[in-house]
Amino acid sequence: MNTRTRVLTGTALAAALGAGAFGAVSASATPADDAAPAAAAVAVAGKKDGPSDKNFTTTTHLTVDAATRAAQAALQAAQAENQKVTVAVVDRNGNTIVTLRGDGAGPQSYESAQRKAFTAVSWNAPTSVLVGRLAQAPNLKDIPGTLFLGGGTPVQANGAPVAGIGVAGAPSGDLDEKFAKAGVDALGK
């Protein structure tokens, strides 16, 4: 190494060490008095009958086992009618829990199933019903991640959507939706 390279390397190393030391000092420079309110907030938030209960909600989520059972039931219903489909189950937030791609299902069916499931849970309605709403609000189809074709069905708990099941690949949205409903029905058993 030449002298200039050694000087630049040494300077960079010294600067990095200095920044690390400064960060360590400033990270631990919190006075003890500031820790008490934070600890009190944690204690209050954890109380069952405290005044902060109104700040929290409880939600219901579909388990991975239940989502898998529903997806398998939908796929089996399609296979019983010789249909090659993909089934997707998403949670309340539209995140995919499980996707099963049946043997021979088309490549487009994977994304279509997920988008139908997302659409169904987002509006808490079967996608076949939502297709009719496009006449009054054609811009709905522009919402990212949605697909307004039959084949998506919401999963509800106490009337609220907790998941969506989407099926794609059959020759009609009516068939796709029939298979998605078989998945929802499997959750009731």
Side-chain angles (χ1 to χ4, degrees):
M1 263 192 218
N2 67 28
T3 304
R4 180 178 176 185
T5 305
R6 277 189 254 151
V7 169
L8 289 175
T9 304
T11 303
L13 181 60
L17 289 173
F22 176 75
V25 169
S26 61
S28 62
T30 305
D33 293 341
D34 287 348
V42 170
V44 171
K47 289 173 73 178
K48 291 187 182 210
D49 297 323
S52 64
D53 285 351
K54 66 183 176 196
N55 296 319
F56 301 96
T57 62
T58 302
T59 59
T60 302
H61 296 272
L62 202 59
T63 66
V64 172
D65 289 338
T68 302
R69 192 171 63 249
Q72 288 172 333
L75 188 59
Q76 288 170 351
Q79 289 170 338
E81 295 190 27
N82 295 318
Q83 298 300 317
K84 298 171 178 162
V85 301
T86 297
V87 180
V89 181
V90 301
D91 68 10
R92 175 62 185 104
N93 298 316
N95 300 309
T96 302
I97 302 171
V98 64
T99 302
L100 298 178
R101 185 175 178 272
D103 295 336
Q108 78 289 355
S109 66
Y110 188 87
E111 183 179 349
S112 295
Q114 289 178 325
R115 291 175 60 191
K116 288 178 183 184
F118 174 78
T119 304
V121 74
S122 295
W123 277 275
N124 193 23
T127 53
S128 61
V129 170
L130 297 171
V131 169
R133 293 184 189 173
L134 286 177
Q136 293 86 20
N139 291 346
L140 283 178
K141 69 181 180 341
D142 298 332
I143 296 173
T146 59
L147 185 59
F148 291 89
L149 297 173
T153 304
V155 177
Q156 299 176 341
N158 298 321
V162 296
I165 299 176
V167 177
S172 75
D174 292 340
L175 280 174
D176 285 338
E177 198 159 306
K178 174 182 173 183
F179 305 142
K181 287 179 184 176
V184 173
D185 293 344
L187 295 172
K189 296 177 183 175

